[in-house]
Amino acid sequence: MTKAPFVAMSAATAALGTALGSLALQLRATGHEQYVDSVATFSILMYITAALVMVTWIRDGRPHTN
């Protein structure tokens, strides 16, 4: 497969993780502590997903053997 879908998906997922991390910081600053853990956890999951997409891209680029 071409690398464009993998790179775009990984970049979009990492951007979402960054936006959610920023939201978690804003929630903490405004006193909405009950939501900070959930949003921060989801932010970390987005970074992990972005990393797994890149691993998939690397594994897809390797030669296939039967």
Side-chain angles (χ1 to χ4, degrees):
M1 295 181 80
T2 62
K3 67 179 180 178
F6 291 107
V7 174
M9 178 68 172
S10 182
T13 307
L16 179 59
T18 302
L20 288 170
S22 175
L23 177 62
L25 292 175
Q26 289 176 358
L27 287 171
R28 179 166 295 190
T30 58
H32 293 93
E33 293 290 327
Q34 68 267 27
Y35 303 114
V36 172
D37 286 339
S38 298
V39 174
T41 300
F42 195 65
S43 173
I44 292 168
L45 286 174
M46 290 299 101
Y47 283 119
I48 291 170
T49 302
L52 290 174
V53 168
M54 293 310 295
V55 167
T56 303
W57 173 48
I58 291 168
R59 290 183 54 98
D60 183 63
R62 295 187 336 197
H64 301 286
T65 59
N66 290 337

